[in-house]
Amino acid sequence: STPNFSRRYQQSNNIITMTRYSVEPDAEVPHSKSRGSHLRVHFKHCREIVHHIQGMPASKANKFLEDVLERKAIVPFTKYTGGIGRKAMAKQCNAPGDKGRWPVKATAVVRDLLSNAVANGESKGLDADKLFISHAQCNRAPPGRRRTYRAHGRIGKYASQPAHIEIILTEKKDDVEKASDDEGEGARGKKITKKMAAQKRFVKVGGA
């Protein structure tokens, strides 16, 4: 039978293998995953949500999603802005423009996927406080086709726009403390000019 090429495939050495995620993180890096397919939530809403929480710590992203459900925070719309009203709350976000909405249904779905990814990380022995969203992506799923009845006996399409969502969390590495270099060039050291560096490189040749 002919394979379904609508799914994601990776080609390596002329061998095509199907992949469930669009990216595959390094196996040596501690991470956890979560994904949902054919979710009955608007694709455009999901895209704006996952784009905004990309790179956030998992705890901060979960707090943001909870605030959106309670209308304490807003999801800024930066790509699909047609017909989206301007909101004063959208100016508080670090995003261009002042358009935003509170997509409750899509926010709840993304929050559940994030909670599932955190739970998967905890089951693998990861520290939940150090997890951050290293990858968050939303793809358009095949539309659900229905019909609506118009005037004069006509029939119009009535399609839904579902989404595929995938989230990958990575454990953040511990920060390395800077060395206290009081003599040389460093965070609290003296600044070395080009002239001083050239004088140190100079080697005297000959007798005294």
Side-chain angles (χ1 to χ4, degrees), residues 39-113:
L39 302 173
R40 286 296 300 273
V41 285
H42 292 314
F43 157 73
K44 294 182 180 181
H45 291 174
C46 296
R47 186 269 169 195
E48 300 293 352
I49 295 171
V50 301
H51 181 262
H52 186 66
I53 66 175
Q54 169 84 22
M56 280 188 184
S59 57
K60 182 179 178 181
N62 187 71
K63 177 67 167 56
F64 167 76
L65 297 174
E66 293 286 352
D67 289 344
V68 171
L69 294 176
E70 298 176 2
R71 301 296 201 278
K72 295 180 180 178
I74 195 170
V75 177
F77 277 55
T78 58
K79 182 175 182 180
Y80 299 107
T81 57
I84 307 297
R86 294 178 291 180
K87 309 291 191 302
M89 190 182 290
K91 297 180 181 179
Q92 302 173 5
C93 303
N94 186 19
D98 56 357
K99 296 184 177 182
R101 277 185 178 176
W102 299 272
V104 173
K105 186 176 179 181
T107 300
V109 170
V110 175
R111 180 198 58 182
D112 293 343
L113 284 175

